Amino acid sequence: MLAQALAILAAAAALHWAIGRVMRRIPVWIARRRGDALGSELPGRRICDVVGVALRALLWVATFGLLADRIDVLHGLRDAVEKLVAMSLEAPLLVQDGHSYTGFDLLRLPALLVVVWLAASGAAWLLKTHVLAPAGVEAGLREAAAVVLLRVGLAGVGALIVLQAHQIDLRTIAILASVLGVGIGFGLQHIANNFVSGLLINLELPIRPGDFVRVGEWEGTVIRVGGRSTEIRTLDEVAILVPNSRFLESEVVNWSHGSPLSRVHVPVGVAYGSSVPRVRRALLDAATAHPAVRRDPRPQVQLRAFGESALEFELLVWTCDPRNQLTLVSDLNFRVLANLARHGIQVPFPQRDLHLRSPQLDRLLDAATRRVAPDDVPPEAGAFDGEPEPLDDPALEPAQWSEAELDAVAARLRGPGGVPILDRRRLLARHRRSFVGREAIDWLMLHEGLTRDEATALGQRLVERGVIHHVLDEHAFRDGHYFYRFRSDEEASSVG
């Protein structure tokens, strides 16, 4: 008997260790399957801890039962415990409307409600993952449908059925809820506000998981839109829980909504007397050389103000990665500083002019000035000397191009290596030596460095000058599958 008891204890200890090992490994396995980082907060760790404690408790209860069959002292103790527990659970504890409720009923009712909630959650998960997701429904709509229509709805209906089966008068619960609702409603109004706000966010989708947003002082990526709060992960990898009501009651900047394209502002100050064309070229060179800066729309340089100590410029660039705006601004600042130094342009320090009025000092300055010949007086800093430097700007818009420049780009467009000029057919009509408007725009963007809007404007200027025209003279220059022809090709064919 003693050997069997020791073997049972050893087996129970081994199972106890194995349960703990398995419960610790399950969250790690889930995290690896999902591709999450193995940190301190693993998915399902708390649930596994609770399940592990329950399994270990059941294990030792079963071990005690096996040992009681082999040891007389434990056998009598087990019988006494079983009788005490049976009397406690079967004794009536509460009587309502002629129906008595035992301790077993009070334990079974919460257990059934938990089972109903788990079943409703499982049905919502199946609907969200196996029905709505394959159908292509938006993530926010899937979450709202699963939470509102199934999880809450089925759980409420199931709870009513369980309560009715236990002959609990729902009118009493309604009266109690109405009495308590007035008192606790004030304390739960913020929770209800955030819950309803979360439902509206999931339905309207002003923000979605993966969007880069700024709410108040917080800026980061939306990780999850929950029932009460939204989780935002900042650029410092810090998780911030923002109440859902803030997204509907305050201003929210969402760089990813609709299109991730956004413009970045880089202020730059240079010393007075600096060459404005050189400053502009230095800033544009810094922008166009960066791989994260979009070519369309093209970068711009604006002279914003004449500051107290500097000419205040601003470099405007477009990017499709709003999460790296700070990194982009830092890179552009490094490039701008290097380009300004290469062009001999100074970044000024704050300057102040101090005027002193004293008769003795004025007399000393007059005497010193008379001793200096007028030819020896150096010119003032930044004074104009000679002809002004021409503004050589190759980035002018097509509306500012001269006629000679327009003729040159038209010759390149029509010449060898230009846009394909072929005989084209549409329906029953045949259009000789024509080209497509969209192909011409693509060629101008590739070979002339224009944006799509600028290429369209350039084509319209060529139409207005009579260089090209629509084959049926029905349309202006458009970015589409429209046929156009050079006037010179028509004149050559008519002469031939």
Side-chain angles (χ1 to χ4, degrees), residues 409-457:
V409 73
R412 293 192 295 270
L413 184 65
R414 180 173 175 266
V419 64
I421 300 177
L422 305 170
D423 294 342
R424 304 177 185 273
R425 183 178 297 276
R426 181 175 179 82
L427 299 179
L428 300 179
R430 182 183 180 186
H431 306 288
R432 299 180 59 83
R433 295 188 59 78
S434 59
F435 62 92
V436 180
R438 181 179 292 115
E439 295 179 357
I441 290 177
D442 294 338
W443 187 91
L444 291 172
M445 293 176 61
L446 180 62
H447 295 85
E448 300 296 328
L450 302 178
T451 65
R452 184 164 292 275
D453 293 337
E454 291 173 346
T456 305

Side-chain angles (χ1 to χ4, degrees), residues 278-296:
R278 289 184 179 179
V279 174
R280 191 172 190 276
R281 176 49 52 198
L283 299 183
L284 289 177
D285 289 345
T288 55
H290 198 285
V293 174
R294 291 291 302 270
R295 303 297 182 267
D296 184 11

Side-chain angles (χ1 to χ4, degrees), residues 148-226:
V148 177
L149 299 180
L150 276 183
R151 184 179 299 172
V152 177
L154 291 180
V157 173
L160 292 177
I161 295 175
V162 170
L163 294 176
Q164 290 284 3
H166 284 74
Q167 300 181 5
I168 296 178
D169 190 1
L170 299 180
R171 291 175 298 178
T172 305
I173 298 178
I175 296 173
L176 180 62
S178 62
V179 173
L180 295 178
V182 177
I184 66 176
F186 293 100
L188 298 180
Q189 59 180 345
H190 295 292
I191 297 177
N193 185 18
N194 291 323
F195 180 76
V196 175
S197 299
L199 296 180
L200 293 177
I201 291 174
N202 286 321
L203 291 175
E204 296 180 1
L205 300 179
I207 59 171
R208 307 181 185 183
D211 288 354
F212 188 73
V213 300
R214 182 175 65 199
V215 184
E217 59 179 327
W218 306 114
E219 186 176 88
T221 304
V222 177
I223 303 300
R224 178 186 58 85
V225 180

Side-chain angles (χ1 to χ4, degrees), residues 353-359 361-362 365:
D353 294 333
L354 183 63
H355 298 275
L356 300 177
R357 300 185 62 85
S358 174
L361 183 60
D362 292 339
L365 289 176

Side-chain angles (χ1 to χ4, degrees), residues 370-437:
R370 286 194 295 269
R371 295 191 185 95
V372 179
D375 296 337
D376 296 336
V377 178
E380 295 182 2
F384 174 76
D385 186 13
E387 296 294 331
E389 186 174 355
L391 184 60
D392 183 14
D393 188 1
L396 293 175
E397 297 182 356
Q400 301 172 329
W401 286 18
S402 64
E403 294 185 0
E405 291 173 330
L406 291 175
D407 293 337
V409 73
R412 293 192 295 270
L413 184 65
R414 180 173 175 266
V419 64
I421 300 177
L422 305 170
D423 294 342
R424 304 177 185 273
R425 183 178 297 276
R426 181 175 179 82
L427 299 179
L428 300 179
R430 182 183 180 186
H431 306 288
R432 299 180 59 83
R433 295 188 59 78
S434 59
F435 62 92
V436 180

